[in-house]
């Protein structure tokens, strides 16, 4: 097939393969983003996306969270596994904690979807079935990972005595934990909570702040769940953004740039007058959706509501729903 008849996406694929084969791009090096490829090759974003999809399907490249699309390691030459020159690691070197920590490292770097028992074994440099000696499977492993990272939450003896300051400290610590481990928000639902020792220790901390202020048991549990849901609900988007960035090579700001024409058409249609007025009111700088700022605003609003509940309980007033 001549170059003129080769589909544009295939020309991009061939060029990246060549660059890898010639050593211009080494394992772990970042592949040009979708937008950069589209600009360099003068093709549509969809064409560049298709090229990267082909390369991922053939495992020439893979997505790395918070980095983007990178050249995949050469089989047998991965720098992440230990003992590559000496064969599999002796079984006596493995432990449940070691397996869990290796899994956490993978999920932190690449997201929960990239986690597999085989990948954990590869990271530890041991036989593929060895981790099963310590955990029953991926579901069991994820529970252990969640319990382990919840154990990182600080619960100092000198915690604030004031209930509001204590709840705020607990919520901020939980947000920081999800920031450090974005996959954590994917591990459980509110309706089927994870009954893990370290997670219950966190709930104990939060409930103790509410205890003794006249709130009923159900209300105390509701407040604890609402605060947790606020953190989890926003934290879900940390990993989703990392996945989207890796899949497209675009930051959230760059992606929004590609939506500018569609947004302009929607506002110009006049069908959404309030939305249009609010967006235009943000000025030329536009609206910056900042998850940290949203967390702080939501937390303050929730604590204001809890304050009203506490005041009502102290005075015997009944709050109407």
């Amino acid at each position: 097939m001549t170059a003129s008849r080769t589909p544009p996406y295939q020309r991009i694929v061939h060029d990246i393969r060549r660059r890898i084969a010639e050593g211009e791009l080494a394992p772990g090096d970042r592949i040009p983003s979708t937008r950069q490829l589209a600009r360099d090759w003068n093709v549509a974003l969809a064409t560049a996306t298709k090229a990267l999809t082909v390369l991922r399907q053939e495992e020439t490249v893979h997505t790395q969270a918070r980095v983007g699309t990178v050249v995949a390691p050469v089989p047998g030459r991965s720098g992440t596994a230990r003992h590559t020159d000496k064969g599999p690691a002796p079984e006596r070197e493995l432990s449940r904690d070691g397996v869990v920590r290796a899994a956490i490292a993978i999920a932190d770097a690449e997201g929960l979807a990239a986690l597999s028992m085989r990948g954990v074994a590869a990271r530890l440099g041991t036989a593929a079935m060895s981790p099963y000696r310590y955990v029953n499977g991926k579901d069991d492993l994820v529970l252990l990972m969640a319990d382990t990272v919840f154990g990182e939450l600080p619960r100092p003896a000198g915690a604030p005595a004031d209930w509001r300051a204590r709840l705020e400290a607990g919520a901020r610590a939980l947000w920081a934990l999800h920031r450090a481990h974005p996959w954590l928000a994917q591990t459980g639902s509110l309706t089927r909570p994870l009954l893990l020792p370290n997670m219950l220790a966190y709930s104990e901390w939060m409930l103790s702040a509410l205890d003794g202020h006249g709130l009923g048991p159900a209300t105390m549990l509701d407040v604890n769940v609402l605060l947790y849901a606020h953190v989890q609900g926003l934290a879900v988007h940390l990993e989703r953004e990392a996945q989207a960035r890796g899949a497209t090579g675009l930051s959230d700001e760059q992606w929004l740039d590609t939506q500018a024409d569609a947004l302009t058409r929607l506002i110009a249609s006049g069908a959404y007058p309030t939305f249009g007025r609010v967006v235009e009111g943000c000025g030329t700088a536009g609206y910056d959706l900042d998850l940290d700022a949203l967390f702080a605003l939501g937390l303050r609003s929730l604590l204001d509501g809890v304050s009203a509940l506490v005041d009502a309980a102290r005075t015997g007033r009944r709050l109407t729903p």
Side-chain angles (χ1 to χ4, degrees):
M1 182 179 291
T2 63
S4 60
R5 295 182 181 179
T6 302
Y9 82 91
Q10 281 286 11
R11 294 202 294 272
I12 298 174
V13 169
H14 294 330
D15 183 68
I16 291 177
R17 286 179 187 153
R18 176 192 60 76
R19 294 171 67 184
I20 293 172
E22 295 177 358
E24 182 182 341
L25 290 171
D29 285 352
R30 194 175 187 280
I31 297 295
S33 69
T34 306
R35 194 172 189 176
Q36 182 66 46
L37 288 172
R39 183 165 52 246
D40 291 347
W41 288 83
N42 193 28
V43 296
L45 285 173
T47 300
T49 299
K50 185 174 183 179
L52 291 180
T53 298
V54 170
L55 290 166
R56 288 192 193 95
Q57 289 173 342
E58 67 185 24
E59 299 184 349
T60 299
V61 303
H62 67 91
T63 300
Q64 186 171 336
R66 293 174 289 283
V67 175
T69 303
V70 300
V71 179
V74 178
R77 298 183 186 177
S78 173
T80 59
R82 301 181 312 183
H83 306 286
T84 53
D85 295 329
K86 299 181 180 180
E91 296 298 331
R92 60 184 175 82
E93 291 190 11
L94 291 182
S95 66
R96 172 176 281 195
D97 183 66
V99 170
V100 172
R101 294 290 177 183
I104 290 171
I106 292 172
D108 284 350
E110 301 182 50
L112 200 60
L115 179 67
S116 67
M117 297 295 285
R118 184 177 294 275
V120 172
R123 187 176 185 88
L124 292 169
T126 190
M129 298 302 293
S130 294
Y132 286 97
R133 296 178 181 272
Y134 303 93
V135 295
N136 294 327
K138 182 176 176 179
D139 290 343
D140 184 35
L141 178 58
V142 170
L143 291 178
L144 292 169
M145 291 163 59
D147 194 45
T148 298
V149 298
F150 263 100
E152 299 173 3
L153 278 170
R155 289 178 285 273
D162 175 70
W163 69 264
R164 178 165 181 148
R166 190 178 178 93
L167 286 182
E168 181 175 354
R172 289 188 178 279
L174 186 63
W175 176 246
L177 187 71
H178 282 78
R179 270 288 194 190
H181 306 288
W183 53 269
L184 185 59
Q186 315 285 340
T187 59
S189 68
L190 293 179
T191 55
R192 300 186 181 189
L194 304 179
L195 300 178
L196 305 172
N198 285 321
M199 190 172 186
L200 287 177
Y202 170 75
S203 291
E204 175 71 19
W205 162 276
M206 300 296 277
L207 290 171
S208 67
L210 294 166
D211 198 21
H213 297 289
L215 300 177
T219 301
M220 291 171 61
L221 289 169
D222 284 345
V223 169
N224 181 46
V225 170
L226 283 170
L227 288 169
Y228 179 82
H230 173 55
V231 172
Q232 185 189 48
L234 289 176
V236 161
H237 300 284
L238 295 171
E239 178 146 312
R240 288 180 181 174
E241 169 57 25
Q243 291 171 344
R245 182 188 295 261
T248 65
L250 300 176
S251 68
D252 54 348
E253 292 181 354
Q254 291 171 331
W255 180 84
L256 283 172
D257 287 344
T258 68
Q259 307 302 307
D261 290 343
L263 179 61
T264 299
R265 288 194 299 271
L266 286 171
I267 293 175
S269 72
Y272 316 98
T274 306
F275 175 76
R277 187 173 66 254
V278 170
V279 169
E280 291 176 353
C282 291
T284 56
Y287 171 63
D288 181 18
L289 196 155
D290 184 329
L291 289 180
D292 291 307
L294 280 177
F295 163 74
L297 174 61
L299 178 60
R300 184 167 64 250
S301 301
L302 282 170
L303 292 178
D304 286 346
V306 177
S307 183
L309 289 174
V310 170
D311 289 344
R314 287 173 176 169
T315 60
R317 290 185 297 109
R318 181 180 179 84
L319 292 179
T320 57

